[in-house]
Amino acid sequence: MDSGTGEGSTSFTDDYETFISTTDVDLLKRAWRNEKAAPEILQYEAALVHRIKEQIELAEQNVEASEADGEDPLTMSLYQMDLDRTQFLLRSYLRVRLQKIEKYIFHILKTDESLNRLSDEEQTFAASCGDDLRAHLKETVLSKLPTDYNSELKQSAASEEDDMVPAPRLDSFVICKARQYISGLDFEPEYSHEITEMERDLLTFVCYKFIKKPLENGKIDLV
């Protein structure tokens, strides 16, 4: 009996060590930080989220099995605490993205670049949210206005742009840190006169649109 319990404990510990030693949790933390700090919605980390969900499910199964085998309660509480942290991180990452979708719903729906950054589920949510918001605005306000002023996108028919649609402020400033040395070639040519290089691990306060390209290429982290 003791031998069996010991083997079960060792197996659980090995599985758990594999779970926490993976870099996926660190990658999720990085994606979460970038998403929180960026003024616009970033590319959905589909493969990473899928792996994290699988690891969480495996860890939950191992915790339940070890509890049934009589694993030390203190040890189990520590395992559960780390598992809870990872679950919180994943939920927070997804929640931040949903908040951005709600805030910039019409901008995202009319911009292919932004829409393509969403997961399939997020695209479905955005479409549903957009339809509901349009119906609400039409019922409560727009239907009572003259024809030239009843658009949810423009202030009037004379407007050349969708001036009623909130859009992310790409000219806002962010704090970032380069993961490697970045030369002027890594930035968009139109901003080459604004920023020429970035040293690795050096905190920089800079306009977001200047570092948008290297951020998308994984060369910069937002703080």
Side-chain angles (χ1 to χ4, degrees):
M1 180 67 70
D2 291 341
S3 176
T5 302
E7 290 177 359
S9 176
T10 301
S11 175
F12 172 76
T13 302
D14 291 342
D15 289 338
Y16 178 75
E17 292 299 330
T18 299
F19 169 68
I20 64 171
S21 64
T22 180
T23 60
D24 283 346
V25 174
D26 292 330
L27 291 175
L28 179 60
K29 187 179 296 184
R30 176 186 168 201
W32 171 62
R33 287 199 190 107
N34 287 341
E35 196 67 64
K36 285 186 65 178
E40 62 177 345
I41 195 162
L42 302 178
Q43 181 64 47
Y44 178 67
E45 299 286 350
L48 174 60
V49 170
H50 179 71
R51 294 197 305 270
I52 288 290
K53 287 181 177 179
E54 287 186 334
Q55 292 167 8
I56 288 175
E57 183 178 355
L58 175 61
E60 288 176 333
Q61 293 173 357
N62 288 335
V63 167
E64 292 175 358
S66 296
E67 285 179 341
D69 290 341
E71 182 77 24
D72 177 60
L74 178 59
T75 302
M76 293 304 305
S77 66
L78 294 176
Y79 293 156
Q80 186 65 51
M81 188 181 300
D82 279 333
L83 178 58
D84 290 343
R85 289 195 187 104
T86 304
Q87 290 175 318
F88 169 80
L89 201 58
L90 177 59
R91 294 190 188 106
S92 183
Y93 169 71
L94 298 175
R95 188 182 302 114
V96 169
R97 293 181 60 82
L98 289 179
Q99 289 171 344
K100 286 185 179 180
I101 292 173
E102 291 178 335
K103 184 175 182 179
Y104 302 118
I105 180 65
F106 290 136
H107 171 79
I108 290 174
L109 289 175
K110 75 184 187 73
T111 311
D112 289 340
E113 180 184 0
S114 297
L115 191 60
N116 291 335
R117 294 175 184 170
L118 308 185
S119 67
D120 292 341
E121 293 81 3
E122 288 173 337
Q123 289 185 12
T124 300
F125 171 77
S128 176
C129 186
D131 291 341
D132 291 343
L133 184 55
R134 286 191 189 93
H136 173 71
L137 291 175
K138 183 176 181 180
E139 180 181 352
T140 58
V141 179
L142 299 179
S143 61
K144 300 174 176 60
L145 297 177
T147 304
D148 288 348
Y149 300 93
N150 64 357
S151 170
E152 73 273 10
L153 303 180
K154 300 180 179 181
Q155 292 192 45
S156 70
S159 300
E160 297 182 357
E161 299 180 353
D162 295 339
D163 49 8
M164 291 287 287
V165 178
R169 294 188 56 184
L170 303 186
D171 57 350
S172 59
F173 279 72
V174 296
I175 299 176
C176 64
K177 180 171 63 175
R179 305 181 69 218
Q180 62 189 65
Y181 173 78
I182 300 179
S183 68
L185 297 177
D186 292 303
F187 302 102
E188 293 288 359
E190 60 184 301
Y191 303 131
S192 59
H193 63 288
E194 299 286 351
I195 183 168
T196 57
E197 63 179 2
M198 288 183 67
E199 296 291 342
R200 179 180 178 180
D201 292 334
L202 181 65
L203 289 178
T204 306
F205 186 61
V206 64
C207 183
Y208 174 78
K209 63 183 179 182
F210 295 167
I211 53 92
K212 175 179 165 67
K213 179 181 176 181
L215 174 65
E216 292 174 346
N217 292 335
K219 297 181 179 181
I220 282 179
D221 287 337
L222 300 183
V223 178

Short mmCIF file of all heavy atoms in Angstrom, two decimals, residues 41-96:
data_model
loop_
_atom_site.label_atom_id
_atom_site.label_comp_id
_atom_site.label_asym_id
_atom_site.label_seq_id
_atom_site.Cartn_x
_atom_site.Cartn_y
_atom_site.Cartn_z
N ILE A 41 -6.39 46.13 -29.88
CA ILE A 41 -6.42 44.69 -29.64
C ILE A 41 -5.32 44.03 -30.47
O ILE A 41 -5.10 44.38 -31.62
CB ILE A 41 -7.80 44.09 -29.97
CG1 ILE A 41 -7.93 42.69 -29.37
CG2 ILE A 41 -8.08 44.09 -31.47
CD1 ILE A 41 -9.36 42.20 -29.27
N LEU A 42 -4.62 43.09 -29.85
CA LEU A 42 -3.51 42.41 -30.51
C LEU A 42 -3.96 41.08 -31.08
O LEU A 42 -5.09 40.65 -30.87
CB LEU A 42 -2.37 42.21 -29.51
CG LEU A 42 -1.81 43.47 -28.84
CD1 LEU A 42 -0.72 43.11 -27.84
CD2 LEU A 42 -1.29 44.46 -29.88
N GLN A 43 -3.06 40.42 -31.78
CA GLN A 43 -3.37 39.13 -32.38
C GLN A 43 -3.67 38.10 -31.29
O GLN A 43 -2.94 37.99 -30.30
CB GLN A 43 -2.19 38.64 -33.23
CG GLN A 43 -2.42 37.31 -33.93
CD GLN A 43 -3.55 37.37 -34.94
OE1 GLN A 43 -3.60 38.29 -35.75
NE2 GLN A 43 -4.45 36.40 -34.90
N TYR A 44 -4.75 37.36 -31.47
CA TYR A 44 -5.12 36.33 -30.51
C TYR A 44 -4.10 35.20 -30.54
O TYR A 44 -3.74 34.69 -31.60
CB TYR A 44 -6.51 35.79 -30.86
CG TYR A 44 -6.99 34.66 -29.96
CD1 TYR A 44 -7.28 34.89 -28.63
CD2 TYR A 44 -7.16 33.37 -30.47
CE1 TYR A 44 -7.73 33.87 -27.81
CE2 TYR A 44 -7.62 32.35 -29.66
CZ TYR A 44 -7.90 32.60 -28.33
OH TYR A 44 -8.35 31.59 -27.52
N GLU A 45 -3.63 34.80 -29.35
CA GLU A 45 -2.62 33.75 -29.24
C GLU A 45 -3.32 32.38 -29.20
O GLU A 45 -3.41 31.73 -28.16
CB GLU A 45 -1.78 33.96 -27.99
CG GLU A 45 -1.02 35.28 -27.95
CD GLU A 45 0.17 35.28 -28.90
OE1 GLU A 45 0.50 34.20 -29.43
OE2 GLU A 45 0.77 36.35 -29.10
N ALA A 46 -3.80 31.94 -30.36
CA ALA A 46 -4.63 30.74 -30.43
C ALA A 46 -3.90 29.48 -29.96
O ALA A 46 -4.40 28.73 -29.11
CB ALA A 46 -5.15 30.55 -31.85
N ALA A 47 -2.72 29.24 -30.50
CA ALA A 47 -1.98 28.02 -30.16
C ALA A 47 -1.60 28.01 -28.68
O ALA A 47 -1.70 26.98 -28.01
CB ALA A 47 -0.74 27.89 -31.03
N LEU A 48 -1.18 29.15 -28.18
CA LEU A 48 -0.78 29.25 -26.77
C LEU A 48 -1.96 29.00 -25.85
O LEU A 48 -1.86 28.23 -24.88
CB LEU A 48 -0.18 30.63 -26.50
CG LEU A 48 0.16 30.95 -25.05
CD1 LEU A 48 1.19 29.96 -24.50
CD2 LEU A 48 0.68 32.39 -24.92
N VAL A 49 -3.09 29.62 -26.13
CA VAL A 49 -4.28 29.44 -25.29
C VAL A 49 -4.74 27.99 -25.31
O VAL A 49 -5.13 27.42 -24.28
CB VAL A 49 -5.42 30.37 -25.76
CG1 VAL A 49 -6.73 30.02 -25.05
CG2 VAL A 49 -5.06 31.83 -25.49
N HIS A 50 -4.66 27.36 -26.47
CA HIS A 50 -5.05 25.95 -26.58
C HIS A 50 -4.15 25.07 -25.71
O HIS A 50 -4.64 24.19 -24.98
CB HIS A 50 -4.96 25.50 -28.04
CG HIS A 50 -5.31 24.06 -28.25
ND1 HIS A 50 -6.60 23.58 -28.14
CD2 HIS A 50 -4.53 22.97 -28.54
CE1 HIS A 50 -6.61 22.27 -28.37
NE2 HIS A 50 -5.37 21.89 -28.61
N ARG A 51 -2.85 25.32 -25.75
CA ARG A 51 -1.92 24.52 -24.94
C ARG A 51 -2.16 24.76 -23.45
O ARG A 51 -2.14 23.82 -22.65
CB ARG A 51 -0.47 24.86 -25.30
CG ARG A 51 -0.06 24.45 -26.70
CD ARG A 51 1.46 24.44 -26.84
NE ARG A 51 2.07 25.70 -26.46
CZ ARG A 51 2.29 26.70 -27.31
NH1 ARG A 51 1.91 26.60 -28.57
NH2 ARG A 51 2.88 27.81 -26.89
N ILE A 52 -2.38 26.01 -23.08
CA ILE A 52 -2.62 26.33 -21.67
C ILE A 52 -3.87 25.64 -21.16
O ILE A 52 -3.90 25.08 -20.05
CB ILE A 52 -2.74 27.86 -21.48
CG1 ILE A 52 -1.37 28.53 -21.63
CG2 ILE A 52 -3.34 28.19 -20.12
CD1 ILE A 52 -0.40 28.25 -20.49
N LYS A 53 -4.93 25.63 -21.96
CA LYS A 53 -6.17 24.97 -21.55
C LYS A 53 -5.94 23.47 -21.35
O LYS A 53 -6.47 22.87 -20.40
CB LYS A 53 -7.25 25.20 -22.60
CG LYS A 53 -7.82 26.61 -22.61
CD LYS A 53 -8.91 26.75 -23.66
CE LYS A 53 -9.54 28.14 -23.63
NZ LYS A 53 -10.60 28.28 -24.67
N GLU A 54 -5.17 22.87 -22.23
CA GLU A 54 -4.88 21.44 -22.09
C GLU A 54 -4.07 21.16 -20.83
O GLU A 54 -4.32 20.19 -20.11
CB GLU A 54 -4.12 20.94 -23.33
CG GLU A 54 -4.97 20.82 -24.58
CD GLU A 54 -4.20 20.20 -25.73
OE1 GLU A 54 -2.95 20.31 -25.74
OE2 GLU A 54 -4.83 19.60 -26.62
N GLN A 55 -3.10 22.03 -20.54
CA GLN A 55 -2.27 21.84 -19.36
C GLN A 55 -3.08 22.04 -18.08
O GLN A 55 -2.89 21.32 -17.09
CB GLN A 55 -1.09 22.82 -19.41
CG GLN A 55 -0.09 22.50 -20.51
CD GLN A 55 0.89 23.62 -20.76
OE1 GLN A 55 0.95 24.59 -20.01
NE2 GLN A 55 1.68 23.50 -21.82
N ILE A 56 -3.99 23.01 -18.09
CA ILE A 56 -4.84 23.24 -16.93
C ILE A 56 -5.74 22.03 -16.68
O ILE A 56 -5.90 21.57 -15.55
CB ILE A 56 -5.69 24.51 -17.12
CG1 ILE A 56 -4.80 25.76 -17.00
CG2 ILE A 56 -6.82 24.58 -16.10
CD1 ILE A 56 -5.53 27.06 -17.29
N GLU A 57 -6.31 21.51 -17.76
CA GLU A 57 -7.18 20.34 -17.62
C GLU A 57 -6.41 19.14 -17.07
O GLU A 57 -6.90 18.42 -16.19
CB GLU A 57 -7.78 19.99 -18.98
CG GLU A 57 -8.77 18.84 -18.94
CD GLU A 57 -9.39 18.54 -20.29
OE1 GLU A 57 -9.12 19.30 -21.25
OE2 GLU A 57 -10.14 17.55 -20.40
N LEU A 58 -5.20 18.93 -17.56
CA LEU A 58 -4.37 17.83 -17.07
C LEU A 58 -4.02 18.02 -15.61
O LEU A 58 -4.09 17.08 -14.80
CB LEU A 58 -3.10 17.73 -17.91
CG LEU A 58 -2.06 16.68 -17.45
CD1 LEU A 58 -2.66 15.28 -17.50
CD2 LEU A 58 -0.81 16.76 -18.31
N ALA A 59 -3.65 19.24 -15.24
CA ALA A 59 -3.29 19.52 -13.85
C ALA A 59 -4.48 19.33 -12.92
O ALA A 59 -4.33 18.81 -11.81
CB ALA A 59 -2.75 20.95 -13.74
N GLU A 60 -5.66 19.73 -13.36
CA GLU A 60 -6.86 19.54 -12.54
C GLU A 60 -7.14 18.06 -12.31
O GLU A 60 -7.50 17.64 -11.20
CB GLU A 60 -8.07 20.20 -13.22
CG GLU A 60 -8.04 21.72 -13.17
CD GLU A 60 -9.19 22.34 -13.94
OE1 GLU A 60 -9.67 21.70 -14.90
OE2 GLU A 60 -9.60 23.46 -13.60
N GLN A 61 -6.97 17.27 -13.35
CA GLN A 61 -7.18 15.83 -13.21
C GLN A 61 -6.17 15.22 -12.24
O GLN A 61 -6.52 14.37 -11.41
CB GLN A 61 -7.07 15.15 -14.58
CG GLN A 61 -8.18 15.52 -15.55
CD GLN A 61 -7.94 14.97 -16.95
OE1 GLN A 61 -6.90 14.36 -17.22
NE2 GLN A 61 -8.90 15.19 -17.84
N ASN A 62 -4.93 15.67 -12.32
CA ASN A 62 -3.89 15.15 -11.43
C ASN A 62 -4.14 15.55 -9.98
O ASN A 62 -3.91 14.77 -9.05
CB ASN A 62 -2.51 15.65 -11.88
CG ASN A 62 -2.04 14.97 -13.15
OD1 ASN A 62 -2.46 13.86 -13.46
ND2 ASN A 62 -1.18 15.64 -13.91
N VAL A 63 -4.61 16.78 -9.78
CA VAL A 63 -4.91 17.24 -8.42
C VAL A 63 -6.03 16.40 -7.82
O VAL A 63 -5.96 15.96 -6.67
CB VAL A 63 -5.29 18.74 -8.43
CG1 VAL A 63 -5.90 19.14 -7.09
CG2 VAL A 63 -4.06 19.60 -8.71
N GLU A 64 -7.08 16.17 -8.60
CA GLU A 64 -8.21 15.38 -8.11
C GLU A 64 -7.78 13.95 -7.79
O GLU A 64 -8.18 13.38 -6.77
CB GLU A 64 -9.33 15.37 -9.16
CG GLU A 64 -10.00 16.72 -9.34
CD GLU A 64 -11.03 16.70 -10.47
OE1 GLU A 64 -11.18 15.63 -11.11
OE2 GLU A 64 -11.66 17.74 -10.71
N ALA A 65 -6.96 13.37 -8.67
CA ALA A 65 -6.50 12.00 -8.44
C ALA A 65 -5.62 11.91 -7.20
O ALA A 65 -5.72 10.95 -6.42
CB ALA A 65 -5.74 11.50 -9.67
N SER A 66 -4.77 12.90 -7.00
CA SER A 66 -3.87 12.88 -5.86
C SER A 66 -4.61 13.11 -4.55
O SER A 66 -4.25 12.58 -3.51
CB SER A 66 -2.78 13.93 -6.04
OG SER A 66 -1.98 13.62 -7.16
N GLU A 67 -5.66 13.94 -4.60
CA GLU A 67 -6.49 14.13 -3.40
C GLU A 67 -7.14 12.82 -3.00
O GLU A 67 -7.23 12.48 -1.82
CB GLU A 67 -7.55 15.20 -3.68
CG GLU A 67 -7.01 16.62 -3.69
CD GLU A 67 -8.09 17.64 -3.98
OE1 GLU A 67 -9.15 17.24 -4.52
OE2 GLU A 67 -7.88 18.82 -3.68
N ALA A 68 -7.60 12.06 -4.00
CA ALA A 68 -8.23 10.77 -3.73
C ALA A 68 -7.22 9.77 -3.17
O ALA A 68 -7.59 8.88 -2.40
CB ALA A 68 -8.86 10.22 -5.01
N ASP A 69 -5.94 9.94 -3.53
CA ASP A 69 -4.90 9.02 -3.05
C ASP A 69 -4.34 9.44 -1.69
O ASP A 69 -3.41 8.80 -1.18
CB ASP A 69 -3.75 8.96 -4.07
CG ASP A 69 -4.17 8.25 -5.35
OD1 ASP A 69 -5.17 7.51 -5.30
OD2 ASP A 69 -3.50 8.45 -6.38
N GLY A 70 -4.86 10.54 -1.14
CA GLY A 70 -4.41 10.96 0.19
C GLY A 70 -3.12 11.75 0.19
O GLY A 70 -2.34 11.67 1.14
N GLU A 71 -2.88 12.52 -0.85
CA GLU A 71 -1.68 13.38 -0.90
C GLU A 71 -1.71 14.38 0.26
O GLU A 71 -2.77 14.78 0.74
CB GLU A 71 -1.65 14.13 -2.24
CG GLU A 71 -0.45 15.02 -2.44
CD GLU A 71 0.80 14.25 -2.82
OE1 GLU A 71 0.67 13.14 -3.35
OE2 GLU A 71 1.90 14.75 -2.57
N ASP A 72 -0.54 14.76 0.73
CA ASP A 72 -0.42 15.71 1.84
C ASP A 72 -1.21 16.99 1.54
O ASP A 72 -1.01 17.61 0.49
CB ASP A 72 1.05 16.06 2.06
CG ASP A 72 1.22 17.10 3.15
OD1 ASP A 72 0.82 16.84 4.29
OD2 ASP A 72 1.74 18.19 2.84
N PRO A 73 -2.13 17.41 2.43
CA PRO A 73 -2.98 18.58 2.18
C PRO A 73 -2.20 19.86 1.90
O PRO A 73 -2.59 20.67 1.05
CB PRO A 73 -3.80 18.70 3.47
CG PRO A 73 -3.82 17.32 4.03
CD PRO A 73 -2.48 16.73 3.68
N LEU A 74 -1.09 20.07 2.62
CA LEU A 74 -0.30 21.27 2.40
C LEU A 74 0.30 21.28 1.00
O LEU A 74 0.28 22.30 0.30
CB LEU A 74 0.80 21.38 3.45
CG LEU A 74 1.75 22.58 3.30
CD1 LEU A 74 0.96 23.89 3.36
CD2 LEU A 74 2.83 22.55 4.38
N THR A 75 0.83 20.14 0.59
CA THR A 75 1.40 20.03 -0.75
C THR A 75 0.33 20.28 -1.81
O THR A 75 0.55 20.99 -2.79
CB THR A 75 2.02 18.64 -0.97
OG1 THR A 75 3.02 18.42 0.02
CG2 THR A 75 2.65 18.54 -2.35
N MET A 76 -0.84 19.70 -1.59
CA MET A 76 -1.94 19.86 -2.54
C MET A 76 -2.38 21.32 -2.63
O MET A 76 -2.71 21.81 -3.71
CB MET A 76 -3.13 18.99 -2.13
CG MET A 76 -2.87 17.49 -2.23
SD MET A 76 -2.36 17.01 -3.90
CE MET A 76 -3.70 17.68 -4.85
N SER A 77 -2.38 22.02 -1.50
CA SER A 77 -2.81 23.42 -1.52
C SER A 77 -1.83 24.28 -2.32
O SER A 77 -2.23 25.23 -3.00
CB SER A 77 -2.92 23.96 -0.09
OG SER A 77 -1.66 24.01 0.55
N LEU A 78 -0.54 23.93 -2.26
CA LEU A 78 0.46 24.66 -3.04
C LEU A 78 0.28 24.39 -4.53
O LEU A 78 0.38 25.31 -5.36
CB LEU A 78 1.86 24.26 -2.60
CG LEU A 78 2.25 24.65 -1.17
CD1 LEU A 78 3.63 24.11 -0.83
CD2 LEU A 78 2.22 26.16 -1.00
N TYR A 79 0.02 23.13 -4.88
CA TYR A 79 -0.23 22.80 -6.28
C TYR A 79 -1.47 23.54 -6.79
O TYR A 79 -1.48 24.10 -7.89
CB TYR A 79 -0.45 21.28 -6.43
CG TYR A 79 0.77 20.43 -6.16
CD1 TYR A 79 0.64 19.11 -5.77
CD2 TYR A 79 2.05 20.95 -6.30
CE1 TYR A 79 1.75 18.31 -5.52
CE2 TYR A 79 3.17 20.18 -6.05
CZ TYR A 79 3.01 18.85 -5.66
OH TYR A 79 4.11 18.08 -5.42
N GLN A 80 -2.52 23.54 -5.96
CA GLN A 80 -3.77 24.18 -6.36
C GLN A 80 -3.59 25.69 -6.50
O GLN A 80 -4.18 26.33 -7.38
CB GLN A 80 -4.86 23.89 -5.32
CG GLN A 80 -6.24 24.39 -5.70
CD GLN A 80 -6.79 23.70 -6.93
OE1 GLN A 80 -6.80 22.47 -7.00
NE2 GLN A 80 -7.24 24.48 -7.91
N MET A 81 -2.74 26.27 -5.66
CA MET A 81 -2.50 27.71 -5.72
C MET A 81 -1.86 28.10 -7.05
O MET A 81 -2.26 29.08 -7.69
CB MET A 81 -1.59 28.14 -4.56
CG MET A 81 -1.43 29.64 -4.42
SD MET A 81 -0.32 30.08 -3.05
CE MET A 81 -1.20 29.32 -1.68
N ASP A 82 -0.87 27.33 -7.48
CA ASP A 82 -0.23 27.61 -8.77
C ASP A 82 -1.21 27.41 -9.92
O ASP A 82 -1.20 28.16 -10.91
CB ASP A 82 1.00 26.73 -8.96
CG ASP A 82 2.22 27.26 -8.23
OD1 ASP A 82 2.29 28.49 -8.02
OD2 ASP A 82 3.09 26.46 -7.85
N LEU A 83 -2.03 26.39 -9.80
CA LEU A 83 -3.04 26.14 -10.83
C LEU A 83 -4.02 27.30 -10.91
O LEU A 83 -4.39 27.75 -12.00
CB LEU A 83 -3.77 24.83 -10.52
CG LEU A 83 -4.89 24.42 -11.47
CD1 LEU A 83 -4.38 24.29 -12.90
CD2 LEU A 83 -5.52 23.11 -11.01
N ASP A 84 -4.45 27.80 -9.75
CA ASP A 84 -5.38 28.92 -9.71
C ASP A 84 -4.77 30.17 -10.34
O ASP A 84 -5.47 30.94 -11.02
CB ASP A 84 -5.78 29.23 -8.27
CG ASP A 84 -6.66 28.14 -7.67
OD1 ASP A 84 -7.22 27.34 -8.45
OD2 ASP A 84 -6.78 28.08 -6.42
N ARG A 85 -3.49 30.37 -10.11
CA ARG A 85 -2.82 31.54 -10.71
C ARG A 85 -2.86 31.47 -12.23
O ARG A 85 -3.10 32.48 -12.91
CB ARG A 85 -1.36 31.62 -10.23
CG ARG A 85 -1.18 32.01 -8.78
CD ARG A 85 0.26 32.41 -8.51
NE ARG A 85 0.50 32.65 -7.10
CZ ARG A 85 1.14 31.81 -6.30
NH1 ARG A 85 1.60 30.67 -6.78
NH2 ARG A 85 1.34 32.10 -5.03
N THR A 86 -2.60 30.29 -12.76
CA THR A 86 -2.61 30.13 -14.22
C THR A 86 -4.01 30.35 -14.78
O THR A 86 -4.19 30.99 -15.82
CB THR A 86 -2.11 28.73 -14.61
OG1 THR A 86 -0.80 28.53 -14.05
CG2 THR A 86 -2.03 28.59 -16.12
N GLN A 87 -5.01 29.82 -14.09
CA GLN A 87 -6.39 30.02 -14.53
C GLN A 87 -6.77 31.50 -14.48
O GLN A 87 -7.44 32.00 -15.39
CB GLN A 87 -7.34 29.21 -13.64
CG GLN A 87 -7.23 27.70 -13.85
CD GLN A 87 -8.09 26.92 -12.87
OE1 GLN A 87 -8.16 27.25 -11.68
NE2 GLN A 87 -8.76 25.90 -13.37
N PHE A 88 -6.35 32.19 -13.43
CA PHE A 88 -6.62 33.62 -13.33
C PHE A 88 -5.98 34.38 -14.49
O PHE A 88 -6.58 35.28 -15.08
CB PHE A 88 -6.10 34.17 -12.00
CG PHE A 88 -6.09 35.67 -11.93
CD1 PHE A 88 -7.25 36.37 -11.64
CD2 PHE A 88 -4.93 36.39 -12.17
CE1 PHE A 88 -7.26 37.76 -11.59
CE2 PHE A 88 -4.92 37.77 -12.13
CZ PHE A 88 -6.09 38.46 -11.83
N LEU A 89 -4.74 34.01 -14.81
CA LEU A 89 -4.01 34.67 -15.88
C LEU A 89 -4.73 34.49 -17.22
O LEU A 89 -4.87 35.44 -18.00
CB LEU A 89 -2.59 34.09 -15.96
CG LEU A 89 -1.51 34.93 -16.63
CD1 LEU A 89 -1.36 36.28 -15.95
CD2 LEU A 89 -0.18 34.17 -16.60
N LEU A 90 -5.20 33.28 -17.48
CA LEU A 90 -5.90 33.01 -18.73
C LEU A 90 -7.21 33.78 -18.79
O LEU A 90 -7.53 34.40 -19.81
CB LEU A 90 -6.17 31.51 -18.86
CG LEU A 90 -6.96 31.07 -20.10
CD1 LEU A 90 -6.24 31.48 -21.37
CD2 LEU A 90 -7.20 29.56 -20.08
N ARG A 91 -7.97 33.76 -17.70
CA ARG A 91 -9.24 34.49 -17.68
C ARG A 91 -9.02 35.99 -17.86
O ARG A 91 -9.77 36.66 -18.56
CB ARG A 91 -9.98 34.23 -16.36
CG ARG A 91 -10.45 32.80 -16.17
CD ARG A 91 -11.37 32.70 -14.97
NE ARG A 91 -11.68 31.32 -14.64
CZ ARG A 91 -11.18 30.65 -13.62
NH1 ARG A 91 -10.33 31.24 -12.80
NH2 ARG A 91 -11.53 29.39 -13.38
N SER A 92 -7.99 36.51 -17.22
CA SER A 92 -7.71 37.94 -17.31
C SER A 92 -7.31 38.33 -18.73
O SER A 92 -7.73 39.37 -19.24
CB SER A 92 -6.59 38.31 -16.34
OG SER A 92 -6.35 39.70 -16.36
N TYR A 93 -6.51 37.49 -19.38
CA TYR A 93 -6.11 37.74 -20.77
C TYR A 93 -7.33 37.82 -21.68
O TYR A 93 -7.47 38.75 -22.48
CB TYR A 93 -5.16 36.63 -21.23
CG TYR A 93 -4.87 36.63 -22.72
CD1 TYR A 93 -4.08 37.61 -23.30
CD2 TYR A 93 -5.40 35.64 -23.54
CE1 TYR A 93 -3.82 37.61 -24.66
CE2 TYR A 93 -5.14 35.63 -24.90
CZ TYR A 93 -4.35 36.62 -25.46
OH TYR A 93 -4.11 36.62 -26.82
N LEU A 94 -8.24 36.85 -21.53
CA LEU A 94 -9.44 36.83 -22.36
C LEU A 94 -10.38 37.98 -22.02
O LEU A 94 -11.02 38.56 -22.90
CB LEU A 94 -10.16 35.49 -22.19
CG LEU A 94 -9.36 34.24 -22.62
CD1 LEU A 94 -10.14 32.98 -22.29
CD2 LEU A 94 -9.04 34.29 -24.11
N ARG A 95 -10.45 38.33 -20.74
CA ARG A 95 -11.33 39.42 -20.30
C ARG A 95 -10.88 40.76 -20.86
O ARG A 95 -11.70 41.57 -21.31
CB ARG A 95 -11.38 39.47 -18.77
CG ARG A 95 -12.42 40.44 -18.22
CD ARG A 95 -12.38 40.49 -16.70
NE ARG A 95 -12.60 39.18 -16.13
CZ ARG A 95 -11.69 38.49 -15.44
NH1 ARG A 95 -10.49 39.00 -15.24
NH2 ARG A 95 -11.98 37.31 -14.94
N VAL A 96 -9.58 41.01 -20.85
CA VAL A 96 -9.04 42.26 -21.39
C VAL A 96 -9.40 42.39 -22.86
O VAL A 96 -9.77 43.47 -23.34
CB VAL A 96 -7.51 42.33 -21.20
CG1 VAL A 96 -6.92 43.49 -21.98
CG2 VAL A 96 -7.17 42.48 -19.72
#
